[in-house]
Amino acid sequence: MTARRQFSRLIRDVERGESFLIARLVPHGADKAADPAWAAACARMMARLEEGAPLGGLRIVRDGLQDR
């Protein structure tokens, strides 16, 4: 069940005493940057953002995303 689609139901259940964990937010650990697989994946993602991705006749690049 997604909270977004079932929000009214979740509120009713909470009013009856149930509890739900909607999200768990944790700090980004510095240890991930030391992981070679994570660093490689991050580098690939950044390279893809820099080169852009074709979308039909449009070319989507990182710097242009904020302008749209």
Side-chain angles (χ1 to χ4, degrees):
M1 167 181 16
T2 63
R4 184 178 183 174
R5 292 185 178 177
Q6 302 289 329
F7 194 71
S8 297
R9 178 179 163 205
L10 288 173
I11 295 299
R12 284 192 304 272
D13 291 346
V14 167
E15 288 173 340
R16 286 188 288 230
E18 288 194 51
S19 63
F20 297 93
L21 177 63
I22 302 296
R24 181 172 177 241
L25 303 175
V26 296
H28 174 65
D31 59 336
K32 283 195 175 195
D35 178 3
W38 185 88
C42 189
R44 287 191 308 271
M45 178 188 67
M46 293 306 293
R48 176 65 136 187
L49 286 172
E50 291 298 327
E51 72 186 36
L55 183 63
L58 300 173
R59 186 121 183 108
I60 306 298
V61 292
R62 181 179 68 172
D63 293 336
L65 290 176
Q66 294 178 356
D67 297 336
R68 295 186 187 270

